[in-house]
Amino acid sequence: MRSTELDAALAAVEDACRVCRYVQSRLDALRSMTKDDSSPVTIGDFASQALVARALTSSGAMLGGMVAEESAAFLKHPDHAAHLRGCVEALRESGAWTDAAADDVIDMVDLGAADPGVLVSHRGGWTLDPIDGTKGFLRGEQYCVCLAKIREGRVEIGVLGCPNLALGLNGEQGDDPLGLGTRYWATRGGGAHMGAYTKTAGVEMAIRRRPVTPDHPARLAESVEMTHTRRDLTEEIMRRAGPVGTPAQIDSQCKYALLARGDADVYLRLPSRKGYVQQIWDHAPGVLIAQEAGCVVTDVLGRELDFGRGRGLEGNLGVLGAPPGLHGRLLAAAKGVLDSAA
Ligand code: AMP
Ligand code: MG
Protein backbone atom coordinates (compact mmCIF):
# COMPACT_ATOMS: atom_id res chain seq x y z
CA MET A 1 0.00 0.00 0.00
CA ARG A 2 1.29 3.44 -0.89
CA SER A 3 1.61 6.02 1.84
CA THR A 4 -0.43 9.20 1.57
CA GLU A 5 2.80 11.17 1.62
CA LEU A 6 4.20 9.23 -1.34
CA ASP A 7 1.00 9.80 -3.31
CA ALA A 8 1.16 13.50 -2.47
CA ALA A 9 4.78 13.66 -3.63
CA LEU A 10 4.04 11.80 -6.89
CA ALA A 11 1.12 14.10 -7.64
CA ALA A 12 3.16 17.22 -6.84
CA VAL A 13 5.99 16.15 -9.16
CA GLU A 14 3.52 15.25 -11.91
CA ASP A 15 2.02 18.77 -11.72
CA ALA A 16 5.48 20.29 -11.89
CA CYS A 17 6.48 18.17 -14.89
CA ARG A 18 3.45 19.47 -16.73
CA VAL A 19 4.52 23.10 -16.55
CA CYS A 20 8.17 22.20 -17.22
CA ARG A 21 7.23 20.44 -20.47
CA TYR A 22 5.24 23.50 -21.51
CA VAL A 23 8.09 25.90 -20.75
CA GLN A 24 10.69 23.70 -22.47
CA SER A 25 8.53 23.64 -25.60
CA ARG A 26 8.60 27.46 -25.74
CA LEU A 27 12.26 28.27 -25.08
CA ASP A 28 12.66 30.84 -27.86
CA ALA A 29 9.37 32.64 -27.20
CA LEU A 30 10.20 33.05 -23.52
CA ARG A 31 13.74 34.22 -24.27
CA SER A 32 12.46 36.96 -26.53
CA MET A 33 9.76 37.97 -24.06
CA THR A 34 12.25 38.58 -21.23
CA LYS A 35 15.35 39.48 -23.32
CA ASP A 36 17.26 37.04 -21.16
CA ASP A 37 18.85 33.85 -22.53
CA SER A 38 18.37 31.75 -19.44
CA SER A 39 14.89 33.04 -18.58
CA PRO A 40 13.03 29.85 -19.58
CA VAL A 41 14.74 27.92 -16.83
CA THR A 42 14.10 30.72 -14.33
CA ILE A 43 10.41 30.77 -15.24
CA GLY A 44 10.25 26.96 -15.20
CA ASP A 45 12.07 26.76 -11.85
CA PHE A 46 9.66 29.12 -10.10
CA ALA A 47 6.55 27.64 -11.72
CA SER A 48 7.67 24.12 -10.78
CA GLN A 49 8.49 25.11 -7.19
CA ALA A 50 5.15 26.93 -6.79
CA LEU A 51 3.22 23.89 -8.04
CA VAL A 52 4.99 21.44 -5.74
CA ALA A 53 4.36 23.70 -2.73
CA ARG A 54 0.74 24.12 -3.74
CA ALA A 55 0.17 20.39 -4.23
CA LEU A 56 1.82 19.38 -0.94
CA THR A 57 -0.12 22.06 0.93
CA SER A 58 -3.50 21.17 -0.57
CA SER A 59 -3.03 17.47 0.13
CA GLY A 60 -2.11 18.21 3.76
CA ALA A 61 1.35 16.65 3.30
CA MET A 62 3.60 19.70 3.77
CA LEU A 63 4.90 18.27 7.09
CA GLY A 64 7.38 20.65 8.75
CA GLY A 65 8.00 22.57 5.53
CA MET A 66 10.06 22.53 2.35
CA VAL A 67 13.72 23.38 1.75
CA ALA A 68 13.88 24.23 -1.95
CA GLU A 69 16.54 25.57 -4.27
CA GLU A 70 14.79 28.77 -5.37
CA SER A 71 14.08 31.93 -3.37
CA ALA A 72 11.14 34.19 -4.28
CA ALA A 73 13.34 37.30 -3.81
CA PHE A 74 14.21 37.29 -7.54
CA LEU A 75 10.55 37.16 -8.62
CA LYS A 76 9.58 39.97 -6.25
CA HIS A 77 12.16 42.39 -7.66
CA PRO A 78 10.60 45.04 -9.93
CA ASP A 79 13.32 44.43 -12.55
CA HIS A 80 12.00 40.89 -13.00
CA ALA A 81 8.35 41.69 -13.67
CA ALA A 82 8.59 40.02 -17.10
CA HIS A 83 9.80 36.78 -15.50
CA LEU A 84 6.94 36.84 -13.00
CA ARG A 85 4.47 37.47 -15.83
CA GLY A 86 6.00 34.60 -17.84
CA CYS A 87 5.76 32.32 -14.84
CA VAL A 88 2.08 33.08 -14.19
CA GLU A 89 1.28 32.68 -17.90
CA ALA A 90 3.09 29.35 -18.10
CA LEU A 91 1.18 28.07 -15.07
CA ARG A 92 -2.13 29.07 -16.62
CA GLU A 93 -1.46 28.10 -20.25
CA SER A 94 -0.02 24.71 -19.37
CA GLY A 95 -3.23 23.91 -17.51
CA ALA A 96 -1.24 23.13 -14.34
CA TRP A 97 -2.77 26.06 -12.39
CA THR A 98 -5.42 27.69 -14.56
CA ASP A 99 -6.28 30.59 -12.23
CA ALA A 100 -2.74 31.33 -10.98
CA ALA A 101 -2.22 34.93 -9.79
CA ALA A 102 1.14 36.63 -9.22
CA ASP A 103 0.78 37.07 -5.45
CA ASP A 104 -0.30 33.48 -4.91
CA VAL A 105 2.59 32.20 -7.01
CA ILE A 106 5.05 34.22 -4.93
CA ASP A 107 3.48 32.93 -1.71
CA MET A 108 3.87 29.34 -2.89
CA VAL A 109 7.50 29.83 -3.98
CA ASP A 110 8.16 31.35 -0.54
CA LEU A 111 7.05 28.09 1.08
CA GLY A 112 10.33 26.61 -0.13
CA ALA A 113 12.28 28.72 2.36
CA ALA A 114 11.86 26.47 5.42
CA ASP A 115 14.66 26.23 7.97
CA PRO A 116 16.67 23.09 7.12
CA GLY A 117 16.28 22.18 10.81
CA VAL A 118 12.93 20.60 9.82
CA LEU A 119 14.88 17.87 8.05
CA VAL A 120 16.40 16.61 11.29
CA SER A 121 13.13 16.88 13.21
CA HIS A 122 10.96 13.90 14.11
CA ARG A 123 8.21 15.14 11.83
CA GLY A 124 10.49 15.75 8.86
CA GLY A 125 10.07 17.91 5.78
CA TRP A 126 10.77 18.07 2.05
CA THR A 127 13.64 19.11 -0.15
CA LEU A 128 13.05 20.14 -3.77
CA ASP A 129 15.06 20.86 -6.87
CA PRO A 130 12.31 22.24 -9.13
CA ILE A 131 14.43 21.74 -12.26
CA ASP A 132 17.61 19.75 -11.82
CA GLY A 133 19.87 19.86 -14.88
CA THR A 134 19.11 23.45 -15.87
CA LYS A 135 21.68 23.34 -18.66
CA GLY A 136 20.04 20.22 -20.12
CA PHE A 137 16.66 21.94 -19.85
CA LEU A 138 17.95 24.92 -21.85
CA ARG A 139 19.50 22.64 -24.48
CA GLY A 140 16.09 20.97 -24.90
CA GLU A 141 17.49 17.77 -23.39
CA GLN A 142 17.28 15.92 -20.07
CA TYR A 143 16.33 17.41 -16.70
CA CYS A 144 14.19 16.30 -13.80
CA VAL A 145 11.93 17.47 -10.99
CA CYS A 146 13.37 16.11 -7.73
CA LEU A 147 11.46 15.85 -4.46
CA ALA A 148 12.42 14.01 -1.27
CA LYS A 149 11.10 13.68 2.24
CA ILE A 150 13.87 13.83 4.84
CA ARG A 151 13.26 12.97 8.50
CA GLU A 152 15.84 12.89 11.28
CA GLY A 153 18.48 13.50 8.62
CA ARG A 154 17.57 10.46 6.53
CA VAL A 155 15.81 10.35 3.17
CA GLU A 156 12.51 8.46 3.53
CA ILE A 157 10.76 9.16 0.22
CA GLY A 158 12.31 10.05 -3.13
CA VAL A 159 10.54 10.99 -6.36
CA LEU A 160 12.14 11.90 -9.70
CA GLY A 161 10.00 13.16 -12.59
CA CYS A 162 11.94 12.87 -15.87
CA PRO A 163 9.79 14.34 -18.66
CA ASN A 164 12.24 13.50 -21.47
CA LEU A 165 13.58 10.16 -20.31
CA ALA A 166 12.11 7.18 -22.16
CA LEU A 167 11.58 3.74 -20.65
CA GLY A 168 14.45 2.35 -22.73
CA LEU A 169 17.75 4.01 -23.57
CA ASN A 170 17.26 4.76 -27.26
CA GLY A 171 20.22 6.88 -28.22
CA GLU A 172 22.71 8.52 -25.89
CA GLN A 173 20.34 10.85 -24.13
CA GLY A 174 17.46 8.43 -23.95
CA ASP A 175 15.22 11.22 -25.21
CA ASP A 176 11.51 10.64 -25.40
CA PRO A 177 10.29 13.01 -28.12
CA LEU A 178 6.89 11.35 -28.46
CA GLY A 179 6.13 10.42 -24.88
CA LEU A 180 5.75 12.29 -21.61
CA GLY A 181 8.76 10.67 -19.98
CA THR A 182 9.11 8.49 -16.93
CA ARG A 183 9.08 8.75 -13.16
CA TYR A 184 10.96 6.95 -10.39
CA TRP A 185 10.16 6.65 -6.72
CA ALA A 186 11.25 4.88 -3.58
CA THR A 187 10.39 4.69 0.08
CA ARG A 188 12.98 3.59 2.63
CA GLY A 189 12.61 -0.16 3.02
CA GLY A 190 9.79 -0.23 0.46
CA GLY A 191 11.83 -0.71 -2.71
CA ALA A 192 12.24 1.35 -5.88
CA HIS A 193 9.76 1.68 -8.69
CA MET A 194 9.47 3.27 -12.09
CA GLY A 195 6.58 4.12 -14.36
CA ALA A 196 5.80 5.91 -17.60
CA TYR A 197 4.01 9.24 -17.72
CA THR A 198 2.88 8.26 -21.23
CA LYS A 199 -0.80 7.53 -20.79
CA THR A 200 -0.98 4.73 -23.34
CA ALA A 201 1.94 2.74 -21.90
CA GLY A 202 0.56 2.37 -18.38
CA VAL A 203 3.74 0.66 -17.28
CA GLU A 204 4.64 0.60 -13.60
CA MET A 205 7.21 -1.79 -12.15
CA ALA A 206 9.52 -2.49 -9.26
CA ILE A 207 13.21 -2.07 -10.13
CA ARG A 208 15.81 -4.28 -8.52
CA ARG A 209 19.49 -4.56 -9.47
CA ARG A 210 21.69 -7.57 -8.99
CA PRO A 211 25.44 -7.29 -8.25
CA VAL A 212 27.49 -7.17 -11.46
CA THR A 213 30.22 -9.72 -12.17
CA PRO A 214 33.85 -8.49 -12.06
CA ASP A 215 34.23 -9.02 -15.84
CA HIS A 216 31.21 -6.86 -16.66
CA PRO A 217 32.28 -3.61 -18.44
CA ALA A 218 31.07 -0.97 -15.99
CA ARG A 219 29.03 1.80 -17.56
CA LEU A 220 29.43 5.22 -15.97
CA ALA A 221 26.58 7.75 -15.89
CA GLU A 222 28.32 11.11 -16.18
CA SER A 223 27.38 14.80 -16.43
CA VAL A 224 27.20 16.39 -19.84
CA GLU A 225 28.79 19.50 -18.33
CA MET A 226 32.57 19.02 -18.21
CA THR A 227 33.01 21.47 -15.33
CA HIS A 228 30.70 19.65 -12.88
CA THR A 229 33.09 16.85 -11.99
CA ARG A 230 36.75 15.74 -12.23
CA ARG A 231 36.56 13.66 -15.37
CA ASP A 232 40.28 12.80 -15.40
CA LEU A 233 40.21 11.31 -11.90
CA THR A 234 36.88 9.59 -12.60
CA GLU A 235 38.33 7.83 -15.65
CA GLU A 236 41.35 6.70 -13.67
CA ILE A 237 39.17 5.30 -10.85
CA MET A 238 36.96 3.45 -13.34
CA ARG A 239 40.01 1.99 -15.12
CA ARG A 240 41.58 0.74 -11.90
CA ALA A 241 38.32 -0.87 -10.74
CA GLY A 242 37.94 -3.19 -13.75
CA PRO A 243 36.68 -3.32 -17.35
CA VAL A 244 35.03 -0.08 -18.49
CA GLY A 245 32.01 0.20 -20.78
CA THR A 246 30.81 3.17 -22.81
CA PRO A 247 29.69 5.99 -20.51
CA ALA A 248 26.18 7.42 -20.67
CA GLN A 249 26.27 11.22 -20.67
CA ILE A 250 23.14 12.73 -19.24
CA ASP A 251 22.22 15.83 -17.26
CA SER A 252 20.65 15.85 -13.80
CA GLN A 253 19.50 13.12 -11.40
CA CYS A 254 18.35 11.18 -14.47
CA LYS A 255 21.77 9.57 -13.90
CA TYR A 256 20.47 7.95 -10.70
CA ALA A 257 17.43 6.71 -12.64
CA LEU A 258 19.73 5.02 -15.18
CA LEU A 259 21.75 3.47 -12.35
CA ALA A 260 18.62 2.20 -10.56
CA ARG A 261 17.11 0.61 -13.63
CA GLY A 262 20.37 -0.93 -14.84
CA ASP A 263 21.12 1.27 -17.87
CA ALA A 264 24.24 2.47 -16.07
CA ASP A 265 26.41 0.81 -13.42
CA VAL A 266 28.16 3.72 -11.76
CA TYR A 267 27.35 7.21 -10.45
CA LEU A 268 30.65 8.88 -9.62
CA ARG A 269 30.98 12.56 -8.84
CA LEU A 270 34.13 14.27 -7.65
CA PRO A 271 34.19 17.98 -6.83
CA SER A 272 35.83 19.91 -9.64
CA ARG A 273 36.99 22.62 -7.28
CA LYS A 274 38.21 22.54 -3.71
CA GLY A 275 35.56 23.38 -1.15
CA TYR A 276 32.57 22.79 -3.46
CA VAL A 277 29.63 21.69 -1.28
CA GLN A 278 26.94 19.62 -2.97
CA GLN A 279 23.30 20.56 -2.34
CA ILE A 280 20.93 18.09 -0.66
CA TRP A 281 18.23 18.50 -3.35
CA ASP A 282 20.74 17.50 -6.04
CA HIS A 283 21.02 14.01 -4.55
CA ALA A 284 18.37 13.12 -1.94
CA PRO A 285 15.70 11.43 -4.11
CA GLY A 286 18.15 9.89 -6.58
CA VAL A 287 20.26 8.35 -3.81
CA LEU A 288 17.28 6.66 -2.13
CA ILE A 289 15.96 5.35 -5.46
CA ALA A 290 19.36 3.86 -6.35
CA GLN A 291 19.76 2.37 -2.84
CA GLU A 292 16.29 0.86 -2.82
CA ALA A 293 17.00 -0.61 -6.27
CA GLY A 294 19.91 -2.50 -4.70
CA CYS A 295 22.88 -0.17 -5.17
CA VAL A 296 25.29 1.06 -2.54
CA VAL A 297 25.59 4.86 -2.49
CA THR A 298 28.14 6.66 -0.29
CA ASP A 299 30.56 9.51 -0.72
CA VAL A 300 33.88 8.76 -2.47
CA LEU A 301 35.46 7.95 0.90
CA GLY A 302 32.78 5.36 1.68
CA ARG A 303 30.87 7.47 4.21
CA GLU A 304 27.10 7.55 4.36
CA LEU A 305 25.69 10.75 2.84
CA ASP A 306 24.52 13.00 5.68
CA PHE A 307 21.31 14.83 4.74
CA GLY A 308 20.99 16.37 8.21
CA ARG A 309 23.67 19.06 8.00
CA GLY A 310 21.64 21.84 6.37
CA ARG A 311 21.19 22.79 2.72
CA GLY A 312 24.52 21.25 1.78
CA LEU A 313 26.23 17.86 2.10
CA GLU A 314 28.96 19.50 4.17
CA GLY A 315 30.09 16.28 5.76
CA ASN A 316 30.76 14.45 2.51
CA LEU A 317 33.13 14.44 -0.45
CA GLY A 318 31.58 13.61 -3.84
CA VAL A 319 29.23 10.68 -4.44
CA LEU A 320 29.84 7.07 -5.44
CA GLY A 321 26.97 4.76 -6.33
CA ALA A 322 27.13 1.25 -7.83
CA PRO A 323 25.85 -2.27 -7.25
CA PRO A 324 27.57 -4.04 -4.33
CA GLY A 325 30.93 -5.55 -5.26
CA LEU A 326 31.57 -3.01 -7.97
CA HIS A 327 31.07 -0.27 -5.35
CA GLY A 328 33.74 -1.89 -3.18
CA ARG A 329 36.22 -2.08 -6.05
CA LEU A 330 35.54 1.53 -7.02
CA LEU A 331 35.98 2.68 -3.43
CA ALA A 332 39.38 0.98 -3.21
CA ALA A 333 40.37 2.48 -6.56
CA ALA A 334 39.15 5.94 -5.48
CA LYS A 335 41.29 5.76 -2.35
CA GLY A 336 44.41 5.05 -4.43
CA VAL A 337 43.67 7.74 -7.00
CA LEU A 338 42.73 10.40 -4.44
CA ASP A 339 45.79 9.63 -2.29
CA SER A 340 48.12 10.02 -5.26
CA ALA A 341 46.32 13.20 -6.46
CA ALA A 342 46.58 14.84 -3.01
P1 AMP B 1 24.69 17.30 -13.47
O1 AMP B 1 24.00 17.25 -14.78
O2 AMP B 1 24.69 16.00 -12.73
O3 AMP B 1 26.03 17.92 -13.49
O4 AMP B 1 23.72 18.09 -12.48
C1 AMP B 1 23.50 19.43 -12.45
C2 AMP B 1 23.83 19.86 -11.06
O5 AMP B 1 25.21 20.10 -10.95
C3 AMP B 1 23.19 21.15 -10.69
O6 AMP B 1 22.03 20.93 -9.97
C4 AMP B 1 24.21 21.87 -9.84
O7 AMP B 1 23.81 21.98 -8.51
C5 AMP B 1 25.43 21.01 -9.92
N1 AMP B 1 26.62 21.79 -10.18
C6 AMP B 1 26.73 23.03 -10.70
N2 AMP B 1 28.02 23.43 -10.74
C7 AMP B 1 28.75 22.41 -10.25
C8 AMP B 1 30.14 22.22 -10.00
N3 AMP B 1 31.06 23.14 -10.32
N4 AMP B 1 30.52 21.05 -9.46
C9 AMP B 1 29.63 20.11 -9.16
N5 AMP B 1 28.30 20.23 -9.36
C10 AMP B 1 27.87 21.38 -9.90
MG1 MG C 1 20.16 20.77 -9.31
Side-chain angles (χ1 to χ4, degrees):
M1 195 187 75
R2 273 189 200 163
S3 77
T4 318
E5 286 168 5
L6 172 62
D7 281 334
L10 287 167
V13 169
E14 189 163 358
D15 272 0
C17 286
R18 189 168 176 179
V19 79
C20 290
R21 282 186 206 102
Y22 176 85
V23 172
Q24 202 187 36
S25 71
R26 305 185 73 246
L27 294 176
D28 288 339
L30 292 170
R31 280 183 176 122
S32 62
M33 171 183 161
T34 54
K35 319 262 180 281
D36 163 12
D37 254 11
S38 64
S39 67
V41 81
T42 311
I43 289 168
D45 266 330
F46 287 119
S48 171
Q49 183 163 320
L51 283 173
V52 170
R54 179 169 173 261
L56 291 178
T57 306
S58 68
S59 59
M62 191 45 115
L63 303 170
M66 186 166 82
V67 179
E69 182 170 19
E70 303 306 327
S71 149
F74 178 95
L75 270 193
K76 290 178 191 167
H77 197 283
D79 288 354
H80 303 138
H83 293 80
L84 177 57
R85 208 165 50 245
C87 184
V88 172
E89 267 177 38
L91 285 162
R92 290 176 166 218
E93 299 294 318
S94 66
W97 185 355
T98 50
D99 59 351
D103 288 349
D104 297 335
V105 171
I106 286 173
D107 286 350
M108 286 300 129
V109 173
D110 264 336
L111 290 184
D115 184 320
V118 300
L119 307 178
V120 291
S121 71
H122 183 65
R123 191 170 181 212
W126 300 93
T127 188
L128 171 74
D129 191 338
I131 295 182
D132 183 36
T134 54
K135 289 174 183 151
F137 184 83
L138 288 171
R139 277 188 251 104
E141 296 174 0
Q142 298 291 340
Y143 66 96
C144 55
V145 178
C146 311
L147 179 64
K149 178 192 171 190
I150 301 179
R151 189 174 152 268
E152 296 178 344
R154 296 186 87 200
V155 187
E156 288 198 336
I157 296 173
V159 177
L160 296 178
C162 309
N164 289 334
L165 190 60
L167 279 172
L169 252 197
N170 45 8
E172 263 213 345
Q173 291 287 334
D175 294 282
D176 192 14
L178 300 175
L180 299 173
T182 46
R183 62 181 180 175
Y184 304 81
W185 66 94
T187 53
R188 183 166 292 283
H193 297 80
M194 65 176 284
Y197 278 128
T198 317
K199 289 183 192 76
T200 48
V203 182
E204 203 167 275
M205 62 192 129
I207 40 181
R208 185 77 202 159
R209 291 212 47 154
R210 301 269 169 268
V212 291
T213 55
D215 59 349
H216 169 81
R219 185 165 204 213
L220 172 72
E222 64 181 356
S223 296
V224 177
E225 295 297 323
M226 298 293 286
T227 57
H228 286 187
T229 188
R230 281 291 301 266
R231 227 169 245 201
D232 51 345
L233 298 183
T234 300
E235 277 170 18
E236 181 60 15
I237 293 167
M238 291 289 292
R239 205 183 52 71
R240 288 195 196 184
V244 180
T246 313
Q249 291 189 350
I250 187 162
D251 297 283
S252 81
Q253 282 176 74
C254 286
K255 286 188 276 296
Y256 285 111
L258 295 191
L259 174 64
R261 71 188 209 188
D263 281 315
D265 306 303
V266 182
Y267 183 110
L268 176 49
R269 194 176 194 98
L270 279 163
S272 53
R273 57 185 157 81
K274 210 172 152 49
Y276 181 84
V277 176
Q278 308 180 94
Q279 308 292 318
I280 54 171
W281 49 78
D282 279 332
H283 298 282
V287 167
L288 183 66
I289 290 163
Q291 287 173 332
E292 287 293 325
C295 293
V296 182
V297 188
T298 63
D299 75 359
V300 293
L301 302 177
R303 299 173 297 195
E304 194 177 334
L305 297 170
D306 183 354
F307 289 96
R309 298 281 287 259
R311 291 167 72 88
L313 289 166
E314 261 96 2
N316 295 108
L317 181 72
V319 177
L320 173 60
L326 177 57
H327 183 275
R329 293 200 302 282
L330 286 160
L331 203 54
K335 185 170 178 357
V337 170
L338 293 174
D339 282 352
S340 49

